[in-house]
Amino acid sequence: MITIDIIANSQKDLLEQIQQKIGGSIINNWNESILTIDNENAKGTLRFVPFDWGVNLLDFDITLRKEFVFKILAQPEFNPIRFLYPSVGSFKHRFGVDNTEKKVEQFQSLIFTNKTGGYNYLHFIKNEHLNLNLIEIVRKQFLQKRTSNVSSLNKKLYEVFADTDHENRFSNYGTLNLKMADLIKKLKKVKGKGMLRILKIEAVVYEILSLHIQQHNRLLAGVPLPTSLDKSELKIIRKLSVLILKRPEKDYSLEDLSLKSGLTQSKLQDGFKFLYNRTVTEYIRHVRLESARDLIRTTDLNISQIVYSIGFSSRSYFSKIFREKYDITPNQFKKKLTAVLEQ
């Protein structure tokens, strides 16, 4: 096992100190830095993107070929709250004052920060592919943002955000959260260049951060996983939701999805309500409407062609539910887009 001592005084120190120990090369493109590694230590990438007001993103998409422990010192100048989520793989965490590591499984979140002078240990397993999303918030900078109304947080998180002198240690190990995995996929698909790309990435980062906070609120409120489902069954339901996202035009029925997944119709409904706050039918309709809106925006297909290409059989029904969802008819939406393009 190889321990990497990281003494980070600023945002970019973490990425550069990892490079010093593991190797690889860093490419800086606008405000985005990517460390690419392919050697005896690891294969993959680490991406670092700093935003305004002390918010930073560090994305791991990597397989470590050796067992590593990142030993991170909490500095007076740089001791952020860290929000971690592995959409692929797992890792272990402990504070320097603890002897026992806690494992953070795939789809489980972790929020932590330490006292100044304390150590944070992140233990990464050999030869396990890891997609890890890590969001940092530097509290003094973040609280200067006018829209950062941390007083609206629950009492515990408010105390953590308000602890700008880093006098307290905090950790929260979340339960299974599959919604966050969907946002991670969305983050990886962001396209564009320069400032526009960074703004798009930042928007998704704040969505992920919001889910971390919502989950912490749910845990404090004692909201459990649905009793009818275990974690493996929720993962099956997520696979179904991804299938629907990829092929919204298919003729899905609750009975067919039940046969395909091996789950009862009741479990499917409970799972979709828990993960997406929608019934199966509502989720399929939502995905189709989102797909239709994208097709109107990005293709030359007329409305009728789009209606049938996404699995609807009635144009009038499609127009009705499109207007209910977006407060505009499909034709009005298309005309507005055309007018903007012609300006």
Side-chain angles (χ1 to χ4, degrees), residues 81 83 109-111 135 137 142 148-150 152-158 161 170 172 177 180 205-221:
I81 307 171
F83 298 78
S109 62
L110 167 64
I111 306 171
I135 299 170
I137 294 184
F142 189 73
S148 298
N149 183 17
V150 296
S152 63
L153 297 171
N154 65 62
K155 184 174 182 293
K156 189 61 185 176
L157 271 183
Y158 172 76
F161 271 84
F170 171 83
N172 175 259
N177 189 322
M180 221 175 285
V205 165
Y206 274 99
E207 284 188 78
I208 296 167
L209 185 60
S210 175
L211 278 186
H212 276 287
I213 293 169
Q214 287 175 31
Q215 176 164 274
H216 188 261
N217 288 341
R218 288 165 66 93
L219 285 171
L220 287 184

Side-chain angles (χ1 to χ4, degrees), residues 181-229:
D182 294 330
L183 285 178
I184 304 299
K185 289 185 72 174
K186 181 179 177 181
L187 187 66
K188 291 181 179 296
K189 291 181 178 178
V190 169
K191 296 181 180 179
K193 295 180 181 179
M195 185 177 69
L196 181 59
R197 173 177 170 78
I198 299 302
L199 287 172
K200 287 180 179 178
I201 292 172
E202 184 177 18
V204 182
V205 165
Y206 274 99
E207 284 188 78
I208 296 167
L209 185 60
S210 175
L211 278 186
H212 276 287
I213 293 169
Q214 287 175 31
Q215 176 164 274
H216 188 261
N217 288 341
R218 288 165 66 93
L219 285 171
L220 287 184
V223 179
L225 290 171
T227 54
S228 64
L229 294 155

Side-chain angles (χ1 to χ4, degrees), residues 6 17 45-46 58 96 104 179 185-186 235 294 335:
I6 297 173
Q17 289 179 20
T45 59
L46 278 75
L58 185 64
V104 181
K179 294 178 187 176
K185 289 185 72 174
K186 181 179 177 181
K235 289 179 181 180
D294 289 342
K335 285 177 182 177

Side-chain angles (χ1 to χ4, degrees), residues 1-8 12-26 35-43 46 60 62 64-72 124:
M1 184 167 63
I2 301 172
T3 299
I4 300 177
D5 287 288
I6 297 173
I7 304 173
K12 284 197 175 183
D13 282 353
L14 181 61
L15 190 66
E16 291 171 353
Q17 289 179 20
I18 291 171
Q19 181 201 23
Q20 289 172 13
K21 297 292 185 177
I22 297 182
S25 58
I26 296 177
L35 169 60
T36 302
I37 310 161
D38 188 2
N39 57 29
E40 69 280 5
N41 293 319
K43 181 175 182 179
L46 278 75
F60 292 66
I62 196 166
L64 294 167
R65 290 170 169 157
K66 297 176 183 176
E67 192 172 356
F68 282 95
V69 171
F70 292 1
K71 181 181 176 184
I72 307 170
F124 299 107

Side-chain angles (χ1 to χ4, degrees), residues 128-173:
E128 180 180 66
H129 187 63
L130 180 68
N131 274 341
L132 175 64
N133 180 272
L134 192 164
I135 299 170
E136 298 176 331
I137 294 184
V138 182
R139 283 161 277 190
K140 285 184 180 177
Q141 295 177 42
F142 189 73
L143 292 177
Q144 292 172 4
K145 186 178 182 182
R146 290 184 180 181
T147 56
S148 298
N149 183 17
V150 296
S151 62
S152 63
L153 297 171
N154 65 62
K155 184 174 182 293
K156 189 61 185 176
L157 271 183
Y158 172 76
E159 290 172 354
V160 176
F161 271 84
D163 180 22
T164 54
D165 292 326
H166 315 146
E167 295 176 344
N168 299 290
R169 187 179 294 113
F170 171 83
S171 65
N172 175 259
Y173 297 83

